Amino acid sequence: MAKGRLIVLTGPSGVGKGTLLKSLFERHPELYLSISVTTRAPRPGEVEGQHYYFVSHAEFQQMVSDGELLEWAEFAGNYYGTPWRSVEKQIQQGRSVVLEIELQGARQIHKTFPEALRIFIMPPSLAELEHRLRNRGQDVEEAIARRLETARAEIAAADEFDIQVVNDDLDKALNRIEATLFVPVGGGV
Ligand code: ADP
Ligand code: 5GP
């Protein structure tokens, strides 16, 4: 059986990754979304095992020392990581796996899985990114400031990725991602 692909989706917090992925998974239930572990507190409405596995610092450190994470990083004062077991299982079973992770994690994956497809989601502008972060209304002011600061460095690294998709019009951005993931085999004229 052919192995599944590893697909990395990165972009500044608030750019719309979660929104894009929700639509992508509705259209393509054959894809598998890796659920990360994080030390961040759940936001209102976030569900354990669906959005993240929420763990303590001690539990996270234990996972790191036990080699359970494919990659991990600190982001805006919290730790995030990808448990490798389920990712490996899905890929072996021929299912493509999407990792929604930040820049440092994407760089680690590039080293360990150079064949992974890496997509960077760009905001139309920094002003629009700030507007979306505030509009989402789920982060305190300090967290928004940290996320915007990190965003600048992330956007500067967008060229490291295989493709860059601007999330201005949601449907257009989604179509662009789909076109990249589902390239027709054989091509034609
Ligand atoms: P991320 O997962 O990248 O942190 P979210 O998916 O939570 O971002 O989106 C942040 C906010 O931006 C949400 O309120 C969402 O509804 C809004 N948003 C996402 N995509 C667009 C878009 N193309 N145009 C306008 N607003 C958007
Ligand atoms: P949030 O707190 O907004 O859910 O996520 C903050 C950032 O952490 C986002 O850029 C998100 O892509 C990233 N992230 C989520 N899970 C992981 C993970 O497992 N590893 C890494 N490196 N980043 C992650």
Side-chain angles (χ1 to χ4, degrees), residues 133-134 140-152:
L133 274 171
R134 288 191 196 289
V140 294
E141 194 53 37
E142 193 212 338
I144 290 177
R146 291 183 85 161
R147 279 156 196 266
L148 280 171
E149 203 182 295
T150 309
R152 288 193 177 82

Side-chain angles (χ1 to χ4, degrees), residues 36 40 43 52 71 75 80-82 100-102 147:
S36 300
R40 168 166 79 60
R43 293 184 181 129
Y52 282 105
E71 60 73 38
F75 181 92
Y80 297 81
T82 305
E100 193 249 275
I101 60 177
E102 52 66 72
R147 279 156 196 266

Side-chain angles (χ1 to χ4, degrees), residues 32-45:
Y32 178 85
L33 179 65
S34 163
I35 308 298
S36 300
V37 287
T38 183
T39 59
R40 168 166 79 60
R43 293 184 181 129

Side-chain angles (χ1 to χ4, degrees), residues 70-73 103-113:
L70 198 57
E71 60 73 38
W72 64 272
L103 179 63
Q104 302 163 71
R107 284 177 171 155
Q108 290 172 48
I109 294 292
H110 188 50
K111 282 193 190 142
T112 38
F113 294 93

Side-chain angles (χ1 to χ4, degrees), residues 11-20 43 100 128 132-133 135-136 167-170:
S13 181
V15 75
K17 301 180 298 296
T19 309
L20 285 164
R43 293 184 181 129
E100 193 249 275
E128 171 62 16
R132 287 185 193 173
L133 274 171
N135 235 19
R136 184 166 69 182
N167 181 21
D168 191 350
D169 179 89
L170 192 74

